[in-house]
Amino acid sequence: MNFDIKEIATAGMILFAVIDILGSIPIIISLRNKVGHIQSEKASLVAACLMVAFLFVGERILSLIGIDVNSFAVAGAFIIFFLAIEMILGITLYRDDVPETASIVPIAFPLIAGAGTLTSILALRAEYHVENIIVAIIINIIFVYLVLKSSSRIERILGKNGLNVIRKVFGVILMAIAVKLFAANINQLFEHGV
């Protein structure tokens, strides 16, 4: 076992920024208003299972279609970079339809364990030990669960401006991480002659 606090903290921060559960509070609140209740426990568990499964199976899926982890990590770095631009500038580069129900599927998959999160997990896999990524996933899922349970209270405490500030700060952190991931993996691709 290669547990490393620094790796756990870095992976945790990356996932926290990509999941952006605080920035999703307005979406969560509007879903709660539409359907009345969000199953926080089920949504969190399904999202955690998706992330851990993708951590282990994602690389095999890539090898089936002939893509190595470093190439995927570079692609992931671009996605993380554009997510950071969205967070910092407050714009939407990709717009998905708002789900009609607040079941496990819209909360767990598109919102928590979406394309950006799954891409980030594989990008992290190229840089960090698996056990550290799993701990980071668990920490984030616990935080996601707490936010889902108390989203209306958090919105009242932070206010709209507070949520915007947090989102922009994590956007800048995310952009720096994207640049680091890109640089590390592009070097490995050139070293392997790809």
Side-chain angles (χ1 to χ4, degrees):
M1 291 286 188
N2 296 303
F3 287 109
D4 181 0
I5 298 295
K6 189 180 176 189
E7 280 193 11
I8 293 169
T10 308
M13 290 287 280
I14 291 169
L15 289 174
F16 181 78
V18 172
I19 293 169
D20 187 27
I21 194 67
L22 293 177
S24 299
I25 287 174
I27 299 165
I28 294 165
I29 289 167
S30 69
L31 285 170
R32 183 172 274 147
N33 291 339
K34 280 182 188 175
V35 295
H37 176 67
I38 292 173
Q39 298 171 313
S40 306
E41 298 87 358
K42 286 185 182 177
S44 301
L45 275 173
V46 169
C49 290
L50 276 170
M51 288 189 240
V52 172
F54 201 75
L55 179 65
F56 289 105
V57 184
E59 196 172 343
R60 288 190 196 116
I61 293 168
L62 289 180
S63 66
L64 278 174
I65 55 176
I67 300 171
D68 65 290
V69 177
N70 294 111
S71 299
F72 196 80
V74 169
F78 282 116
I79 290 173
I80 294 168
F81 185 80
F82 289 120
L83 282 170
I85 288 174
E86 283 185 343
M87 291 168 76
I88 294 166
L89 301 178
I91 57 171
T92 305
L93 298 173
Y94 171 75
R95 184 151 181 93
D96 201 1
D97 295 331
V98 178
E100 292 176 13
T101 62
S103 64
I104 293 167
V105 176
I107 295 286
F109 177 63
L111 202 61
I112 301 166
T117 306
L118 298 179
T119 305
S120 301
I121 285 170
L122 273 195
L124 288 170
R125 175 91 193 246
E127 290 283 309
Y128 303 113
H129 291 99
V130 173
E131 53 270 25
N132 295 324
I133 300 170
I134 291 172
V135 172
I137 289 170
I138 291 167
I139 291 168
N140 270 282
I141 288 299
I142 291 167
F143 189 75
V144 163
Y145 171 75
L146 294 172
V147 169
L148 286 174
K149 272 293 192 201
S150 56
S151 55
S152 53
R153 194 177 318 141
I154 291 169
E155 188 192 35
R156 278 197 307 273
I157 292 167
L158 292 177
K160 197 169 186 179
N161 290 335
L163 289 173
N164 283 336
V165 168
I166 289 171
R167 199 166 185 180
K168 288 182 191 321
V169 168
F170 274 99
V172 172
I173 292 168
L174 205 56
M175 188 173 281
I177 289 165
V179 170
K180 183 184 173 195
L181 271 173
F182 177 80
N185 286 288
I186 204 79
N187 286 338
Q188 287 183 352
L189 283 173
F190 285 125
E191 283 171 16
H192 293 102
V194 177

